[in-house]
Amino acid sequence: MSIRNATCTIHKTLPRRRRFWKPWKLVNTSQTDFQFNYQYNEVELVKGDNAATSTAILLIHPIGVGIGRWFYNRLLQSLYNKRNQLERSGRIVALAPDLLACGSASNPMVQQSCQKLPLFTVSDWSSQVEQFMAMYQHEQCFNSSTVLWCIVSNGGCVPIALDVMPPQPFNVTNIVLSAPPRLSGLLQDNPPMKKVQQSYRTLSGVIVGKLFWWFALRNNGKFVQNFSETNLAADPKNLGEEWTPTCVQMARTFPKSRYSTFAFLAGALQTSCQPAFDALANNNTEDIAINVILGGDKRKNPAKSWFWEKKRKQETLKEQSLSHYLQSRQIRGGREAVVGGRRCPAHEDSDGFADALVSFLNMDIE
């Protein structure tokens, strides 16, 4: 596995700050460019530098305390071990970058002083992914070949993957949604941005933000361990001994990565995917297959955004699965694979996840 460097630029408004002599008033700040220099992991599965067609598997990690590109380390190793099962021709690589405000992508260069990071949204993260794809195609010897992209997204980051679709100038042929939220959650209306912004300002405040981060990391990450075992893993043993120490180490090494967690908790990723599904259903010429990988443990995650999300009424009818919904909309793909694990199947059962991913890629050979 190789560790390489990448860069992206996001145009955002600086977080509003309070006057020292009038703390009840907020000072409006100007817009500026945030330039992020970050790292990504690369594993070459199949060599084929002179092939006319190449395949790049882009892995979008979930967002949480200390989570970054390392989340897919097990899967990258499993994909490498199963590389001989891939039936696609040409060069095949697997890529796992750090998302904005996560890991190495949490220390931007800004022209103006900025004590905290702004609220990032789905469009910001998808812009980073698009810039990364353009950079990789241009710099990594792909100029002479056609690159077919397979985007894999886990959990609440599903909207990011669905936002990277035509008319963008990339040949995205496969999107794999791993442990996606409930279908009703994907199709619900966008949350009120004002409430999301208010929640983010509260969470990222000096007192609340530092107190939350201290509580999450105290006692060597006891909160992280308990939360992961209760809400994410089918079996605590699936996480491995390295899970909590890695989360704590990454969170302490990159303290500004807390702002991605605050954005997630504030509801920045709770964007409706209905427009993306409508675009795929109404345009039959688009050659994008969307498939689903689920963990065998079907228990729901009781965690939710704290500040504004209302308690859902108890459901009396069984909800339609995402794969059935894709099939009913006649969207290409619509296949579902069940592997071990619960909310993090790529980490909990990396071998089973790799088998499912390879199977999807082999089925969609043109």
Side-chain angles (χ1 to χ4, degrees), residues 130-200:
E130 291 163 5
Q131 292 182 47
F132 175 81
M133 294 165 69
M135 177 277 301
Y136 196 83
Q137 288 186 180
H138 178 70
E139 295 184 359
Q140 300 298 325
C141 302
F142 277 153
N143 293 328
S144 59
S145 64
T146 300
V147 185
L148 305 179
W149 288 91
C150 171
I151 302 179
V152 180
S153 184
N154 187 89
C157 290
V158 162
I160 300 176
L162 294 175
D163 201 44
V164 184
M165 292 197 309
Q168 302 301 333
F170 305 107
N171 293 320
V172 180
T173 60
N174 299 80
I175 295 179
V176 178
L177 308 181
S178 168
R182 297 177 307 114
L183 180 59
S184 59
L186 294 176
L187 302 181
Q188 68 182 358
D189 296 334
N190 294 337
M193 182 51 64
K194 184 177 180 180
K195 291 187 178 180
V196 174
Q197 292 172 344
Q198 289 175 346
S199 298
Y200 181 75

Side-chain angles (χ1 to χ4, degrees), residues 221-267:
K222 182 178 180 180
F223 169 80
V224 173
Q225 183 71 26
N226 292 338
F227 180 89
S228 301
E229 293 179 356
T230 303
N231 301 289
L232 303 181
D235 186 334
K237 296 180 181 179
N238 294 346
L239 295 174
E241 296 180 356
E242 77 282 359
W243 175 269
T244 300
T246 304
C247 288
V248 173
Q249 178 185 358
M250 296 299 294
R252 288 175 175 168
T253 303
F254 303 102
K256 284 189 176 181
S257 64
R258 64 184 183 272
Y259 293 109
S260 62
T261 303
F262 297 157
F264 177 80
L265 291 174

Side-chain angles (χ1 to χ4, degrees), residues 60-223:
I60 299 177
H61 64 77
I63 292 177
V65 177
I67 300 296
R69 69 183 190 275
W70 66 267
F71 175 84
Y72 285 114
N73 284 353
R74 287 183 176 182
L75 178 60
L76 290 174
Q77 183 61 50
S78 295
L79 286 173
Y80 183 79
N81 295 338
K82 299 176 184 297
R83 63 191 183 279
N84 294 329
Q85 300 178 16
L86 289 165
E87 299 176 2
R88 290 197 172 196
S89 60
R91 185 182 180 212
I92 303 177
V93 296
L95 311 167
D98 278 326
L99 292 180
L100 293 180
C102 298
S104 62
S106 58
N107 295 309
M109 292 186 293
V110 191
Q111 294 179 351
Q112 304 180 38
S113 61
C114 179
Q115 296 180 352
K116 68 178 184 179
L117 299 183
L119 172 64
F120 292 113
T121 60
V122 171
S123 60
D124 296 320
W125 278 301
S126 63
S127 176
Q128 177 204 6
V129 172
E130 291 163 5
Q131 292 182 47
F132 175 81
M133 294 165 69
M135 177 277 301
Y136 196 83
Q137 288 186 180
H138 178 70
E139 295 184 359
Q140 300 298 325
C141 302
F142 277 153
N143 293 328
S144 59
S145 64
T146 300
V147 185
L148 305 179
W149 288 91
C150 171
I151 302 179
V152 180
S153 184
N154 187 89
C157 290
V158 162
I160 300 176
L162 294 175
D163 201 44
V164 184
M165 292 197 309
Q168 302 301 333
F170 305 107
N171 293 320
V172 180
T173 60
N174 299 80
I175 295 179
V176 178
L177 308 181
S178 168
R182 297 177 307 114
L183 180 59
S184 59
L186 294 176
L187 302 181
Q188 68 182 358
D189 296 334
N190 294 337
M193 182 51 64
K194 184 177 180 180
K195 291 187 178 180
V196 174
Q197 292 172 344
Q198 289 175 346
S199 298
Y200 181 75
R201 283 198 297 268
T202 301
L203 280 166
S204 60
V206 175
I207 298 177
V208 176
K210 289 187 176 180
L211 182 62
F212 174 89
W213 215 239
W214 167 83
F215 180 80
L217 303 181
R218 70 188 183 99
N219 296 333
N220 296 320
K222 182 178 180 180
F223 169 80

Side-chain angles (χ1 to χ4, degrees), residues 324-343:
H324 290 162
Y325 173 79
L326 296 174
Q327 294 171 8
S328 65
R329 297 294 304 273
Q330 296 183 349
I331 297 175
R332 183 167 176 249
R335 293 184 289 271
E336 179 182 295
V338 179
V339 300
R342 185 179 173 191
R343 304 302 304 169

